[in-house]
Amino acid sequence: MVSKILIPDCRNCDVRGDSIFCTLTDKEWQKLNETKSSRAIKKGQVIFFENDTVKGLHSIRAGKIKIYKTLDDGGMQILRISKPGDIIGYRGLLGNGKYIGTAETLEDAEICFIPKQTIMELISSNLQFSLDLMSKFASDLSEAEEKSIRFIQKSSKERLAEALLMLETSFGIDDNGFIQLNLTRHEIAAFAGLATETIIRCLRAWEELGILDLDKKHIKILDKAQLIAISNTPE
């Protein structure tokens, strides 16, 4: 379900400091406020579909979003998981004009949509914004390539261990030590590029060994040193 929400003033946004828009001038902030729209989106709803035409970019104010591609066999490969302060859909905006994947909410979220024309005007008027956007584009491409190369060279256990470490680093832990991102076993498999059965088997074995603590979709890393060793990744 998608519903309109009271449009927040970008200058007072809770995630402004983490946003690519933090270098805008007062005049540019005003333009952003005038042209953007905001939506509250329930968990499990699609924001945009792969190969749809890009009409602007989306800034995450609250919630977490998975970006995934649909595979030939009907499965999915999660490309990225985004959090508050991140922008999504911009790669198509700067590329071929199509979304590279489908964006779906992992939890209730608040999303601000900025039209393509506004973004292009900001690129033209604000050099730092333009450089930051290009830097993010390059950084995301590099990160995706490095992840792909590393995962291809690793065993299933190494890939899963590294994926769990990446998720903890990216999203942190709650007061009880659990990773602040609740994924189904199928979603973890789609993120690590593995079969769901493999994920279930490894997680169960690592729980028995005291490496992890599992509580439904909640995962806590109990022995990080051991998980790093399994991942074959430098600390």
Side-chain angles (χ1 to χ4, degrees), residues 66 76 106 182-190 196 199 217:
K66 66 180 179 182
M76 70 173 175
L106 287 168
N182 301 327
L183 298 176
T184 65
R185 301 299 186 254
H186 178 63
E187 287 169 333
I188 295 174
T196 303
I199 297 293
K217 292 196 293 184

Side-chain angles (χ1 to χ4, degrees), residues 34-104:
E34 291 173 351
T35 58
K36 79 172 190 296
S37 60
S38 299
R39 297 287 187 272
I41 306 176
K42 292 294 186 181
K43 175 182 177 181
Q45 299 300 302
V46 171
I47 301 170
F48 54 76
F49 289 94
E50 180 180 351
N51 291 323
D52 278 355
T53 299
V54 178
K55 297 180 179 179
L57 63 76
H58 307 257
S59 178
I60 305 173
R61 188 163 179 261
K64 300 181 182 72
I65 314 295
K66 66 180 179 182
I67 313 294
Y68 65 89
K69 291 187 74 68
T70 301
L71 304 178
D72 292 339
D73 62 2
M76 70 173 175
Q77 175 67 56
I78 295 180
L79 306 175
R80 183 159 55 100
I81 299 175
S82 299
K83 57 185 183 295
D86 288 345
I87 55 173
I88 57 177
Y90 68 93
R91 286 176 62 177
L93 189 69
L94 299 178
N96 66 358
K98 303 290 184 181
Y99 289 117
I100 65 167
T102 298
E104 181 181 322

Side-chain angles (χ1 to χ4, degrees), residues 168-229:
E168 186 189 67
T169 298
S170 297
F171 297 96
I173 58 176
D174 61 21
D175 293 339
N176 295 313
F178 289 93
I179 298 173
Q180 294 191 98
L181 178 68
N182 301 327
L183 298 176
T184 65
R185 301 299 186 254
H186 178 63
E187 287 169 333
I188 295 174
F191 181 74
L194 298 170
T196 303
E197 294 75 14
T198 300
I199 297 293
I200 294 173
R201 186 170 58 251
C202 285
L203 292 179
R204 186 181 299 124
W206 291 347
E207 182 181 32
E208 292 175 354
L209 291 171
I211 299 172
L212 302 176
D213 180 15
L214 306 178
D215 181 11
K216 296 181 180 178
K217 292 196 293 184
H218 305 280
I219 298 177
K220 180 194 297 186
I221 299 175
L222 298 175
D223 191 339
K224 183 174 291 187
Q226 180 67 8
L227 202 62
I228 291 173

Side-chain angles (χ1 to χ4, degrees), residues 19-24 28 32 57 87 93 114 118-135:
S19 170
I20 195 170
F21 301 104
C22 63
T23 63
L24 301 189
E28 289 166 341
L32 200 64
L57 63 76
I87 55 173
L93 189 69
I114 301 96
T118 299
I119 297 300
M120 292 308 175
E121 289 176 1
L122 291 176
I123 290 174
S124 298
S125 66
N126 190 313
L127 177 60
Q128 189 58 55
F129 173 78
S130 179
L131 292 173
D132 289 345
L133 191 60
M134 287 188 290
S135 176

